[in-house]
């Protein structure tokens, strides 16, 4: 950790010295570098759920259409 590259951003403290926090892959620390670079591409640990995947969206739309069709059939019978 001591040999890690440092952020180097100009601090807003009175001293104005460069920030000494360890840098992320984008070259700045978590306080000066904006958003985290995120999980690496293909990282399965970053996958939480599939609610918004294309497969699940199409499945929900198909089920909604099926329910709508069933309701129309039910109304036509009574």
């Amino acid at each position: 950790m001591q040999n890690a590259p440092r952020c180097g951003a100009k601090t807003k403290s009175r001293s104005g010295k460069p920030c000494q926090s360890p840098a992320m892959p984008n070259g700045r620390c978590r306080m000066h570098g904006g958003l985290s670079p995120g999980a690496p591409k293909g990282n399965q640990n970053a996958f939480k759920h599939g609610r918004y995947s294309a497969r699940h969206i199409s499945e929900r739309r198909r089920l909604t259409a099926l329910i709508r069709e069933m309701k129309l059939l039910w109304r036509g019978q009574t």
Side-chain angles (χ1 to χ4, degrees), residues 27-66:
R28 294 295 184 194
C29 70
R30 61 190 174 88
M31 292 170 281
H32 295 115
L35 298 175
S36 168
K41 296 289 181 192
N43 182 0
Q44 292 300 309
N45 295 327
F47 185 74
K48 289 185 179 180
H49 53 73
R51 175 175 282 165
Y52 301 107
S53 67
R55 184 176 65 117
H56 281 119
I57 290 171
S58 65
E59 183 70 15
R60 283 196 305 271
R61 287 181 179 161
R62 190 180 69 81
L63 286 172
T64 303
L66 188 63

Side-chain angles (χ1 to χ4, degrees), residues 11 15 17 25 27 29 39 48 50 69:
T11 60
S15 67
K17 293 180 182 176
C29 70
K48 289 185 179 180
E69 202 174 318

